[in-house]
Each structure stands twice: as C-alpha cells, then as structure tokens.
C-alpha cells in the first residue's frame, strides 16, 4: 500500500520541480527576476511571480530580454541608456507614456523654456533647444528618463502699428526618473578608499542659453593637481550625500548622482540653477597620462 503513495508523492514532486524549472526569466535594465509571463503586448509586458496570482505590468522599454521556460529568448532594444552626467544628455529618454516610468525612482521636477531671438526664428529650432535643455537638466540630477507632463508652444506673432510682435516659444515641464539604483555600500567603500581631484564644475541656469563647463583644476606647490579626501558620507532614503570643505558649494551636502572607480559626480540645485561637481579619482587615466 505504501508504493502507490510513494509513486504519487514522487510524481507530484517531479511535477512541481518541472513547473518551477519552466519559469520565465525577465531581464530588467538593472537586474533579473524569475516570473511567469502572461502577455507580451505592443508596448508592455504582463507577468506574475511564481505561486502568485497578482498580475504586474511593465513597459518594454525597461526590459532587455525574456528567457522563456521553453528556452526561447525574446530580445528588446530599449531606448533607455545609462546617463552619468552632462556629457550624456543626448542619451536621456523622453516619454509621454506613464507606463515607461512605472517602478522607477523619481529624481525631481524639471522645467525648460526656449524663446526665438526674433519673430523669424524657426519653431523647430526653438523646440529642439528647449528639449535639449530639458535633457541637460535631467542628466545633471541623475535622471536618464523624463516623463513630460505639460508642453506649451507659441508660434511667431507678428506685431502691428500699435502692438509689438512675439517670437516663437516652447516650454516643457516634467519629472526625471532613473533606472539605475546606486549601490550605497559599494559607493561608500569607494569614497573611503580613494582620493579625489575637483576637475570640472558644470552649471545650468534655466534662463541661460546653454550650460557652463568650468575647469576647476587647482595645483599645489609641487605643480601637481591637488588631491583630497572627502569629509563624510551620509545615507538618507536610499541616496548618498557628501560633505566636503574642498568644494565651494552653497549647500553643506552634495548629492551623489554617479560613482565609479574613476569618477564621482556630485549635484546641488535650487529653483533655477543646477550644479554638478565632476571629481576624478586617483585611478583616473588623467593621472596616468600626466608627465612631470
């Protein structure tokens, strides 16, 4: 009487193992998860977690590929790229679809405006300038995705005898988001183990035509770039902030928006101006190429 029971139990265990092994793997831009794909639509993917019934929806833009339990792979070309600062602003992804930002970390409000120089200014040129300024500000606050909530556009308005004309104008308002989560422990370890050099300061004023890039390098008596250690690292709500006396900032704490073995990008902002302080580490190629 025991053999049939054992066979049933073994069969059930085998069926469960087979079911689990046939789970699908969803590769996000920042990691992977074991799931069960329910639907692959034109713009989104629906899935559940193993042994659960709740259906989740995610934009295809946040997914690199799916490896199905059958072994088949489906690869997606995501327009969302890594952005490490102002030099990457052209990579910032602009979207009007709320599905594209589902589950992403908010980085803050964004606004840009551009106005034509004369009433003969091209509408497309002004639109592109406003859009580029939006991307620039996004890149400087650590966002690689922008969800545009409001757009305003005014065409050229020619004046008359008693009325002045107005040139074309475009403005964008939205929120910046990031697909990249900072590994706080790894960044803390990097900051504590490295010395830094303040290489550049990037400044973007919303009322300005374009950002300023200022060389900040200072040299010591030995004619070598000045290096320094950062005073302290503060973790708050999953984000990191730096305190240092070596950077002439207006705030006491500077937010970390990017960190790797060769560079560290810090940010401060107010209602109109965003600053990035571009620091390079003692492992940067800049120092390897120096000759004295």
């Amino acid at each position: 009487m025991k053999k049939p029971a054992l066979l049933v139990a073994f069969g059930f265990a085998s069926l469960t193992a087979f079911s689990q092994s046939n789970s699908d793997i969803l590769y996000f831009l920042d990691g992977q998860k074991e799931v069960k794909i329910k639907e692959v639509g034109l713009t989104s993917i629906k899935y559940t977690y193993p042994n659960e019934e709740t259906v989740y929806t995610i934009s295809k833009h946040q997914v690199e590929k799916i490896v199905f339990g059958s072994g088949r792979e489906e690869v997606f070309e995501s327009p969302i790229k890594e952005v490490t600062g102002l030099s990457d602003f052209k990579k910032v992804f602009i979207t009007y679809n709320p599905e594209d930002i589902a589950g992403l970390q908010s980085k803050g409000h964004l606004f840009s405006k551009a106005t034509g120089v004369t009433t003969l200014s091209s509408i497309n040129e002004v639109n592109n300038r406003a859009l580029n300024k939006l991307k620039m500000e996004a890149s400087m606050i650590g966002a690689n995705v922008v969800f545009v909530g409001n757009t305003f556009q005014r065409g050229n308005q020619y004046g008359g005898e008693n009325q002045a004309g107005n040139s074309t104008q475009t403005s964008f308002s939205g929120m910046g988001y990031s697909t990249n989560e900072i590994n706080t422990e790894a960044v803390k370890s990097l900051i504590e183990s490295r010395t830094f050099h303040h290489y550049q300061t990037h400044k973007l004023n919303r009322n300005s035509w374009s950002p300023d890039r200022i060389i900040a390098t200072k040299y010591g008596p030995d004619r070598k770039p000045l290096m320094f250690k950062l005073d302290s690292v503060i973790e708050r709500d999953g984000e990191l902030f730096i305190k240092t006396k070596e950077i002439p900032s207006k705030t006491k704490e500077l937010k970390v928006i990017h960190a790797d073995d060769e560079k560290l990008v810090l940010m401060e902002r107010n209602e109109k101006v965003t600053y990035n302080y571009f620091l390079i580490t003692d492992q940067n190629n800049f120092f390897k190429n120096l000759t004295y």
Side-chain angles (χ1 to χ4, degrees), residues 237-248:
D237 299 326
E239 296 185 312
L240 292 179
F241 298 83
I242 299 295
K243 282 189 176 183
T244 178
K245 299 176 183 177
E246 303 295 335
I247 297 177

PDB file of all heavy atoms in Angstrom, residues 237-248:
ATOM      1  N   ASP A 237      17.310  57.937   2.854  1.00  0.00           N
ATOM      2  CA  ASP A 237      16.265  57.465   1.941  1.00  0.00           C
ATOM      3  C   ASP A 237      16.839  56.761   0.712  1.00  0.00           C
ATOM      4  O   ASP A 237      16.371  56.949  -0.419  1.00  0.00           O
ATOM      5  CB  ASP A 237      15.371  58.636   1.497  1.00  0.00           C
ATOM      6  CG  ASP A 237      14.664  59.305   2.663  1.00  0.00           C
ATOM      7  OD1 ASP A 237      14.316  58.593   3.626  1.00  0.00           O
ATOM      8  OD2 ASP A 237      14.469  60.536   2.608  1.00  0.00           O
ATOM      9  N   GLY A 238      17.888  55.970   0.933  1.00  0.00           N
ATOM     10  CA  GLY A 238      18.474  55.202  -0.153  1.00  0.00           C
ATOM     11  C   GLY A 238      19.387  55.987  -1.063  1.00  0.00           C
ATOM     12  O   GLY A 238      19.856  55.465  -2.078  1.00  0.00           O
ATOM     13  N   GLU A 239      19.662  57.255  -0.723  1.00  0.00           N
ATOM     14  CA  GLU A 239      20.556  58.078  -1.523  1.00  0.00           C
ATOM     15  C   GLU A 239      21.736  58.543  -0.678  1.00  0.00           C
ATOM     16  O   GLU A 239      21.660  58.571   0.555  1.00  0.00           O
ATOM     17  CB  GLU A 239      19.810  59.287  -2.099  1.00  0.00           C
ATOM     18  CG  GLU A 239      18.715  58.876  -3.065  1.00  0.00           C
ATOM     19  CD  GLU A 239      18.040  60.056  -3.731  1.00  0.00           C
ATOM     20  OE1 GLU A 239      17.673  61.004  -3.010  1.00  0.00           O
ATOM     21  OE2 GLU A 239      17.871  60.029  -4.958  1.00  0.00           O
ATOM     22  N   LEU A 240      22.825  58.907  -1.358  1.00  0.00           N
ATOM     23  CA  LEU A 240      24.047  59.294  -0.657  1.00  0.00           C
ATOM     24  C   LEU A 240      24.344  60.776  -0.843  1.00  0.00           C
ATOM     25  O   LEU A 240      24.136  61.337  -1.923  1.00  0.00           O
ATOM     26  CB  LEU A 240      25.235  58.476  -1.169  1.00  0.00           C
ATOM     27  CG  LEU A 240      25.224  56.976  -0.848  1.00  0.00           C
ATOM     28  CD1 LEU A 240      26.460  56.313  -1.436  1.00  0.00           C
ATOM     29  CD2 LEU A 240      25.157  56.726   0.646  1.00  0.00           C
ATOM     30  N   PHE A 241      24.863  61.382   0.227  1.00  0.00           N
ATOM     31  CA  PHE A 241      25.239  62.784   0.207  1.00  0.00           C
ATOM     32  C   PHE A 241      26.656  62.917   0.772  1.00  0.00           C
ATOM     33  O   PHE A 241      27.056  62.159   1.658  1.00  0.00           O
ATOM     34  CB  PHE A 241      24.264  63.622   1.026  1.00  0.00           C
ATOM     35  CG  PHE A 241      22.858  63.597   0.516  1.00  0.00           C
ATOM     36  CD1 PHE A 241      21.997  62.552   0.843  1.00  0.00           C
ATOM     37  CD2 PHE A 241      22.386  64.600  -0.319  1.00  0.00           C
ATOM     38  CE1 PHE A 241      20.697  62.513   0.369  1.00  0.00           C
ATOM     39  CE2 PHE A 241      21.090  64.568  -0.809  1.00  0.00           C
ATOM     40  CZ  PHE A 241      20.244  63.528  -0.460  1.00  0.00           C
ATOM     41  N   ILE A 242      27.386  63.889   0.244  1.00  0.00           N
ATOM     42  CA  ILE A 242      28.778  64.097   0.616  1.00  0.00           C
ATOM     43  C   ILE A 242      28.945  65.432   1.330  1.00  0.00           C
ATOM     44  O   ILE A 242      28.335  66.431   0.952  1.00  0.00           O
ATOM     45  CB  ILE A 242      29.682  64.099  -0.640  1.00  0.00           C
ATOM     46  CG1 ILE A 242      29.600  62.754  -1.363  1.00  0.00           C
ATOM     47  CG2 ILE A 242      31.124  64.427  -0.270  1.00  0.00           C
ATOM     48  CD1 ILE A 242      30.135  61.596  -0.569  1.00  0.00           C
ATOM     49  N   LYS A 243      29.772  65.425   2.349  1.00  0.00           N
ATOM     50  CA  LYS A 243      30.206  66.671   2.979  1.00  0.00           C
ATOM     51  C   LYS A 243      31.691  66.845   2.724  1.00  0.00           C
ATOM     52  O   LYS A 243      32.473  65.929   2.954  1.00  0.00           O
ATOM     53  CB  LYS A 243      29.936  66.641   4.489  1.00  0.00           C
ATOM     54  CG  LYS A 243      28.491  66.892   4.875  1.00  0.00           C
ATOM     55  CD  LYS A 243      28.342  67.058   6.387  1.00  0.00           C
ATOM     56  CE  LYS A 243      26.911  67.420   6.772  1.00  0.00           C
ATOM     57  NZ  LYS A 243      26.780  67.640   8.237  1.00  0.00           N
ATOM     58  N   THR A 244      32.064  68.017   2.225  1.00  0.00           N
ATOM     59  CA  THR A 244      33.473  68.311   1.984  1.00  0.00           C
ATOM     60  C   THR A 244      33.703  69.814   2.001  1.00  0.00           C
ATOM     61  O   THR A 244      32.858  70.585   1.533  1.00  0.00           O
ATOM     62  CB  THR A 244      33.945  67.729   0.633  1.00  0.00           C
ATOM     63  OG1 THR A 244      35.308  68.087   0.427  1.00  0.00           O
ATOM     64  CG2 THR A 244      33.104  68.238  -0.514  1.00  0.00           C
ATOM     65  N   LYS A 245      34.844  70.223   2.506  1.00  0.00           N
ATOM     66  CA  LYS A 245      35.229  71.634   2.537  1.00  0.00           C
ATOM     67  C   LYS A 245      36.009  72.021   1.285  1.00  0.00           C
ATOM     68  O   LYS A 245      36.315  73.196   1.084  1.00  0.00           O
ATOM     69  CB  LYS A 245      36.079  71.906   3.779  1.00  0.00           C
ATOM     70  CG  LYS A 245      35.360  71.638   5.100  1.00  0.00           C
ATOM     71  CD  LYS A 245      36.305  71.827   6.276  1.00  0.00           C
ATOM     72  CE  LYS A 245      35.611  71.482   7.592  1.00  0.00           C
ATOM     73  NZ  LYS A 245      36.536  71.594   8.746  1.00  0.00           N
ATOM     74  N   GLU A 246      36.309  71.054   0.444  1.00  0.00           N
ATOM     75  CA  GLU A 246      37.167  71.293  -0.711  1.00  0.00           C
ATOM     76  C   GLU A 246      36.414  71.832  -1.925  1.00  0.00           C
ATOM     77  O   GLU A 246      37.023  72.265  -2.893  1.00  0.00           O
ATOM     78  CB  GLU A 246      37.886  69.994  -1.103  1.00  0.00           C
ATOM     79  CG  GLU A 246      38.720  69.370   0.007  1.00  0.00           C
ATOM     80  CD  GLU A 246      39.882  70.254   0.418  1.00  0.00           C
ATOM     81  OE1 GLU A 246      40.325  71.075  -0.422  1.00  0.00           O
ATOM     82  OE2 GLU A 246      40.356  70.134   1.560  1.00  0.00           O
ATOM     83  N   ILE A 247      35.080  71.808  -1.878  1.00  0.00           N
ATOM     84  CA  ILE A 247      34.277  72.288  -2.999  1.00  0.00           C
ATOM     85  C   ILE A 247      33.498  73.521  -2.561  1.00  0.00           C
ATOM     86  O   ILE A 247      32.771  73.465  -1.558  1.00  0.00           O
ATOM     87  CB  ILE A 247      33.312  71.194  -3.506  1.00  0.00           C
ATOM     88  CG1 ILE A 247      34.125  70.007  -4.039  1.00  0.00           C
ATOM     89  CG2 ILE A 247      32.386  71.738  -4.585  1.00  0.00           C
ATOM     90  CD1 ILE A 247      33.282  68.851  -4.488  1.00  0.00           C
ATOM     91  N   PRO A 248      33.610  74.636  -3.274  1.00  0.00           N
ATOM     92  CA  PRO A 248      32.933  75.883  -2.879  1.00  0.00           C
ATOM     93  C   PRO A 248      31.449  75.873  -3.215  1.00  0.00           C
ATOM     94  O   PRO A 248      30.960  76.635  -4.059  1.00  0.00           O
ATOM     95  CB  PRO A 248      33.678  76.936  -3.700  1.00  0.00           C
ATOM     96  CG  PRO A 248      34.099  76.209  -4.936  1.00  0.00           C
ATOM     97  CD  PRO A 248      34.432  74.813  -4.485  1.00  0.00           C
TER      98      PRO A 248
END
